[in-house]
Amino acid sequence: MKTHALSFALSLALAAPLAAVAATPAAPPSAADAHAFVERMNADYKARYVEPSAAEWVAETYITDDTQKLTARANERWLQWLSAEVEQARAFEHTPGVDASDRRALDLLKLQTAMPAPKNPAHLSELTALGSKLTAAYGSGKYCTNDKDPASCRTLDDLSAVLATDRDWDHDLDAWAGWHRVGRGMLKDYQRFAELLNEGARDLGYADVGVMWRSGYDMAPDAFAKETDRLWGQVKPLYDDLQCYARTKLAQKYGERMPKDGTIPAHITGNMWAQDWSNLYPLLAPYPGVGGSDVNARLQAQRDAAYADLRKGAKGTPTPLELATLEREADLKSATAMVKRSEDFYTSLGFPPLPASFYEKSMLLRPRDRDALCHASAWPMDLGSTDMRIKMCIRPTEEEQYVIYHEMGHIYYYLAYKDRPPIFQAGANDGFHEAIGDTVRLNLTPAYLAQIGLADKAAGDDKALLNEQMKLALEKVAFLPFGLLIDKWRWGVFDGSIKPDEYNAAWWKLRREYQGLSSPVAATPADFDPGAKNHVPTNVPYMRYFLARILQFQFYRSLCDAAGHQGPLATCSIYGNKEAGAKFWKMLGEGARQPWQATLKEMTGQDTMDASAILDYFAPLQAWLKEQNRGQSCGWH
Ligand code: X8Z
Ligand code: ZN
């Protein structure tokens, strides 16, 4: 039997046309054949994955025409291989007795990429070339006030820093509009890209690529869409309370310049996409000056101290080049310390230390001599090995520190499931993957920050608690409608209900409807503001982040239970708690081997995503917001 199974698998591996298999008078494939196929496919998967991941790493950390070509080719080969495997797996569609795990592996094969390959080879080449081109365009995007003078150019990091720290309306408008020009060149390419994605999805049997993306949740795609609306319905009242309060305070500051329709202009939220408003905390704190301490200032001071040290060690009068090198060394020291701080949290739970190669191979700073895609990401380079890296352009800010904890969540997920078959090396669903580091972030309470020297000893009274809740709500609650609408927009693009000439208008319609936000500028026909958000040109599905915002509070609540936490949930930190750590690690180790509902149940006792955890968490703040909003006419039109 074994020999038969192997030879069957081998003939498939040699890409024998299905027709030929069907034409052989041999018996239909058996469950053992299916098993052999899955084993061989997993082995090939691991062997082949190395090439596209290495090519993509180089393409994103060293953007040139050449690296774009190399990654496009590598992706083409990878997607071709995946399609061939999917095709072969069809032979087992009706095979009786296939083991549940093999059946799941066969089903998951179709969902291994967000970029399904069209069968037409020319179209596949075109698709991967467009994918690399859009990624490179975003990664190398800059705002130059004088096109002939590179010194006038500012990167996304520079422009984001303006929005984060400068509350001047016009400065923010300039930075916001400058960055959004990056989207303009992408309109035509994105339109074609969407067509080709749809072609690939149809070739796999899906109505469009949006349906395909919605099929990765162990439930029918329509049911999944409904589920996201249900969750949004649960949290919308909390968001609306926050929006109302924020816009009232902003109106006090900006007066007549604020729109009269109740919306908040997108450029004054402290963030390029208005997805995280925590930079507005100084303006919105319920009790200014109570509790909390300036993590930004401490991180900056630590970076400056590193520089001062290096400067002291330098002999004579350094040249400008030597000084620049010292600055760079200080930046790297500071960034590395920030990463180690995050690693320390994970190891305190009993998780293993990061492999040495992590620090050798990660990219922690924006390269000085070339373009790179700085949007933070975490990479499992070779499935099954410990070559795992992050790619970030770290600056010494509180926001970036929390992004590091987020990325580290991905890394520890990779580490926990690295010995599973490649096809199960994924989150229980993609929302889980995004929720791990965020769950850890919820444990970074004022008491924890004080413990690790990033804040003064916490005050712990009611006023401090409300301030803390406001700060976190600006990060977590403000994000919710944004997390939802990105893919509402893409689903519409993919199913054709949003036509190319309405791309931008439909984007702003959703921004207004869900976020209560408006564009600060009148759009031109060339504008393509979705292109100014990383995940659109880089083709990363976004609903995962919405799910993660809900899930992380569920995870946090059950980990705090496991840790035996007493008192208000918001004061819980599982730092150093091995029981909670073991529970967490077990969940991570499951990867995607079973439906996420089962994994969620093991972890939380619930088998559905449920916003009651986030709502309970923010109940004190919501009550306070309602008080503040009394007498205001909330809402927007
Ligand atoms: O893209 C990310 C991570 C990498 S997976 C930095 N996030 C979303 C975003 O920045 O838009 C984390 C929160 C939402
Ligand atoms: Zn992430």
Side-chain angles (χ1 to χ4, degrees):
M1 195 59 219
K2 211 164 173 217
T3 333
H4 169 73
L6 270 178
S7 64
F8 180 75
L10 194 64
S11 70
L12 290 176
L14 295 173
L18 267 186
V21 174
T24 33
S30 66
D33 296 331
H35 183 70
F37 171 83
V38 169
E39 297 246 293
R40 196 270 313 141
M41 177 276 295
N42 268 316
D44 268 12
Y45 196 124
K46 190 183 248 169
R48 286 177 180 264
Y49 187 80
V50 179
E51 187 199 11
S53 72
E56 190 65 26
W57 174 268
V58 179
E60 292 188 19
T61 57
Y62 200 145
I63 302 175
T64 69
D65 289 354
D66 296 322
T67 58
Q68 281 173 63
K69 282 182 202 148
L70 292 170
T71 194
R73 283 290 288 145
N75 270 323
E76 197 178 332
R77 268 195 288 275
W78 166 249
L79 294 176
Q80 242 157 9
W81 175 79
L82 261 183
S83 298
E85 295 294 318
V86 170
E87 202 53 52
Q88 291 159 31
R90 284 187 203 282
F92 307 107
E93 246 161 42
H94 306 292
T95 305
V98 173
D99 165 82
S101 164
D102 289 337
R103 179 56 70 205
R104 184 165 174 82
L106 292 167
D107 290 344
L108 288 179
L109 245 180
K110 283 208 280 200
L111 299 167
Q112 295 302 302
T113 177
M115 192 159 87
K119 283 188 178 145
N120 177 326
H123 287 178
L124 172 58
S125 288
E126 193 186 350
L127 176 67
T128 60
L130 275 173
S132 339
K133 184 181 173 197
L134 285 162
T135 300
Y138 183 88
S140 57
K142 284 175 206 74
Y143 170 36
C144 308
T145 39
N146 175 356
D147 282 340
K148 296 195 182 62
D149 175 17
S152 79
C153 296
R154 282 179 293 166
T155 63
L156 177 57
D157 336 352
D158 301 326
L159 299 165
S160 293
V162 174
L163 299 186
T165 57
D166 188 341
R167 297 272 68 82
D168 180 273
W169 180 284
D170 295 311
H171 296 171
D172 288 348
L173 185 54
D174 177 58
W176 187 94
W179 176 252
H180 279 76
R181 285 191 201 177
V182 166
R184 280 188 192 166
M186 297 178 192
L187 183 56
K188 281 275 154 272
D189 283 344
Y190 192 78
Q191 181 185 342
R192 179 68 183 145
F193 187 64
E195 279 168 18
L196 292 166
L197 287 175
N198 271 340
E199 186 178 322
R202 287 191 189 116
D203 285 349
L204 281 174
Y206 297 98
D208 65 67
V209 71
V211 177
M212 177 177 161
W213 286 7
R214 295 194 289 281
S215 297
Y217 298 93
D218 299 299
M219 58 171 81
D222 284 356
F224 175 68
K226 285 210 185 75
E227 187 61 0
T228 58
D229 285 336
R230 180 185 70 80
L231 292 167
W232 169 241
Q234 279 190 285
V235 294
K236 182 181 183 329
L238 174 59
Y239 176 78
D240 288 353
D241 290 340
L242 184 65
Q243 196 273 2
C244 185
Y245 171 73
R247 80 139 201 257
T248 307
K249 295 293 272 191
L250 288 164
Q252 283 163 13
K253 178 166 177 63
Y254 296 111
E256 283 304 300
R257 300 192 86 167
M258 286 290 281
K260 305 284 174 284
D261 59 7
T263 60
I264 297 174
H267 70 293
I268 53 163
T269 61
N271 173 275
M272 190 58 83
W273 309 277
Q275 67 182 66
D276 176 333
W277 304 352
S278 41
N279 289 313
L280 294 186
Y281 174 73
L283 193 68
L284 302 184
Y287 301 101
V290 176
S293 73
D294 200 344
V295 176
N296 280 320
R298 294 215 182 198
L299 290 169
Q300 186 61 48
Q302 290 176 3
R303 187 269 171 211
D304 293 344
Y307 178 71
D309 255 12
L310 290 164
R311 186 75 179 72
K312 243 187 270 151
K315 290 186 201 73
T317 315
T319 63
L321 182 61
E322 284 163 346
L323 281 177
T325 306
L326 292 183
E327 296 271 4
R328 185 76 181 172
E329 263 180 65
D331 289 343
L332 187 59
K333 266 201 161 156
S334 145
T336 306
M338 289 169 73
V339 176
K340 296 226 170 196
R341 181 174 294 127
S342 149
E343 180 185 5
D344 169 65
F345 192 104
Y346 289 86
T347 54
S348 89
L349 300 177
F351 292 12
L354 292 171
S357 63
F358 173 90
Y359 287 100
E360 286 151 21
K361 294 184 167 182
S362 286
M363 182 189 100
L364 301 184
L365 298 177
R366 180 181 277 279
R368 286 184 294 182
D369 56 349
R370 58 183 200 257
D371 285 326
L373 174 66
C374 275
H375 188 90
S377 51
W379 301 55
M381 297 302 295
D382 307 332
L383 306 172
S385 89
T386 54
D387 181 357
M388 285 154 197
R389 315 171 187 173
I390 63 172
K391 175 181 71 60
M392 266 186 86
C393 303
I394 300 173
R395 292 189 177 194
T397 65
E398 182 174 16
E399 199 177 342
E400 295 269 290
Q401 178 70 74
Y402 298 152
V403 174
I404 296 172
Y405 283 91
H406 172 96
E407 295 309 323
M408 210 56 81
H410 291 304
I411 295 288
Y412 274 102
Y413 219 153
Y414 301 147
L415 274 173
Y417 61 49
K418 75 177 176 51
D419 296 323
R420 295 236 175 248
I423 201 104
F424 296 149
Q425 290 194 34
N429 69 40
D430 54 8
F432 279 57
H433 229 302
E434 297 306 334
I436 305 311
D438 286 9
T439 301
V440 166
R441 186 263 175 274
L442 295 178
N443 292 277
L444 312 181
T445 55
Y448 164 81
L449 293 174
Q451 191 180 345
I452 63 163
L454 272 190
D456 298 329
K457 207 171 160 354
D461 59 19
D462 286 356
K463 289 183 175 168
L465 176 77
L466 270 176
N467 274 353
E468 218 19 69
Q469 290 234 314
M470 175 62 78
K471 180 119 180 290
L472 200 70
L474 294 172
E475 181 185 330
K476 299 291 179 190
V477 178
F479 179 84
L480 289 161
F482 184 80
L484 185 80
L485 74 83
I486 303 290
D487 279 354
K488 284 216 177 262
W489 179 80
R490 271 191 293 205
W491 294 351
V493 165
F494 296 146
D495 73 16
S497 59
I498 298 174
K499 307 272 179 294
D501 62 350
E502 307 157 355
Y503 279 175
N504 209 58
W507 173 263
W508 283 105
K509 190 163 176 275
L510 289 163
R511 296 269 265 169
R512 171 176 293 268
E513 180 181 345
Y514 287 95
Q515 284 183 288
L517 219 73
S518 48
S519 172
V521 296
T524 72
D527 280 319
F528 181 58
D529 294 327
K533 174 65 197 167
N534 170 76
H535 301 64
V536 174
T538 66
N539 199 43
V540 178
Y542 210 83
M543 199 54 86
R544 57 185 64 182
Y545 301 106
F546 175 72
L547 305 181
R549 277 298 191 272
I550 307 289
L551 281 168
Q552 61 194 254
F553 287 88
Q554 287 179 270
F555 295 161
Y556 176 60
R557 183 162 66 179
S558 52
L559 290 173
C560 290
D561 280 349
H565 173 76
Q566 307 281 326
L569 187 55
T571 61
C572 160
S573 179
I574 63 164
Y575 182 58
N577 190 292
K578 303 283 187 293
E579 285 79 36
K583 186 175 170 113
F584 209 4
W585 187 253
K586 180 164 183 314
M587 177 178 94
L588 300 181
E590 300 286 359
R593 73 165 190 91
Q594 60 185 6
W596 62 263
Q597 291 89 339
T599 305
L600 185 63
K601 184 142 191 148
E602 284 169 14
M603 173 80 170
T604 66
Q606 294 180 283
D607 59 6
T608 52
M609 294 183 270
D610 169 22
S612 74
I614 184 172
L615 292 174
D616 289 352
Y617 184 98
F618 286 113
L621 178 73
Q622 195 174 10
W624 184 87
L625 285 170
K626 287 204 184 299
E627 282 284 307
Q628 303 305 305
N629 291 337
R630 195 175 296 148
Q632 298 288 342
S633 69
C634 290
W636 56 88
H637 47 267

